[in-house]
Amino acid sequence: MSPITVTTLRKMKRNGEKFACLTAYDASFAELLDAAGVEVLLVGDSLGMVVQGRETTVPVIMDEMVYHTAAAARGRRRALLMADMPFMSYATPEQALRNAARLMQEGGAHMVKLEGGAIQVETVRQLTARGIPVCAHLGLQPQSVHRLGGYRVQGRDPAAARQMLQDAQALQTAGADVLLVESIPGALAAEITGAMDIPVIGIGAGPACDGQVLVLYDMLGITPGHRPKFTRDFMQGQASVAAAVESYVLAVKSGAFPAAEHGFN
Ligand code: KIV
């Protein structure tokens, strides 16, 4: 089977074919998810919480992202490997270029993801102009949790929704290859997905997005403490981790996940 690339994802969007994304932080899980048909593996900075046991993603540093990306890259066979730029690793375009290059050269990432709207337009322009594929992350941006005062649904008021749509368009124009929207009303995610030529991945953003992503440990039901409403425990009723991941892929592709109870208005 041929490897998944940005072109594959664009074609899937055009054909109305949904794709599945999950986080992976090591070689064994990367290999298992890849074999189960997951198209995009995200080495998310969520590893700070689910692997390192930290309160937020803020303390995660570049060296840790490079380490986990390289580990996941060793297990990945076909999936596209996306890696998060951690907090303050892309505060200027120059710094972003240096750190994105590390994720690709030392980590083996195919695409980097960064949080932010209009403020990241110039950075996205410079990264993509130099051949670095970028996923722009809008909606709830966990690296800003201390400013937001918690993990809250974004884009509920009309002005914020309008701004998010404008940011999405500006990021696409700047060259972003993929957009990820987190914790936003399903209707807004549908509007953004419809307006974009590039694929849109959703988490807590309803069923209209072109692809869906979950934090692996959430969908395996092993995240300690509170689990967000937009996740589902796919281990329920399954005999193995591989079967749970396969059922997630199937549910995303058939549109069975996310259901109404996993979304926001
Ligand atoms: O870090 C991460 O795992 C993420 C997902 C929640 C989208 O950014």
Side-chain angles (χ1 to χ4, degrees), residues 21-25 42-50 57 65 82 84 113 115 137 140 142-143 180-182 201-203 213-216 218 230:
C21 174
L22 282 175
T23 63
Y25 317 106
L42 168 63
V43 187
D45 59 358
S46 52
L47 68 86
M49 299 165 85
V50 299
T57 60
M65 289 308 302
M82 183 191 293
D84 258 333
K113 176 164 83 61
E115 298 180 7
H137 183 150
L140 174 62
Q143 292 173 11
L180 186 146
V181 288
E182 177 167 352
I201 303 177
I203 175 164
V213 62
L214 284 178
V215 170
L216 176 66
D218 287 347
F230 54 71

Side-chain angles (χ1 to χ4, degrees), residues 59-70:
V60 177
I61 58 171
M62 257 324 282
D63 284 348
E64 292 165 345
M65 289 308 302
V66 170
Y67 173 90
H68 285 281
T69 304

Side-chain angles (χ1 to χ4, degrees), residues 135-196:
C135 173
H137 183 150
L138 291 178
L140 174 62
Q141 295 162 35
Q143 292 173 11
S144 301
V145 64
H146 296 305
R147 275 217 81 215
L148 296 170
Y151 297 99
R152 298 176 203 289
V153 179
Q154 302 294 304
R156 270 189 166 142
D157 76 81
R162 236 183 352 265
Q163 184 62 55
M164 205 181 299
L165 184 55
Q166 279 171 16
D167 285 356
Q169 279 160 334
L171 288 159
Q172 174 175 267
T173 303
D177 299 276
V178 173
L179 182 70
L180 186 146
V181 288
E182 177 167 352
S183 295
I184 66 171
L188 175 59
E191 192 182 353
I192 292 174
T193 304
M196 295 287 107

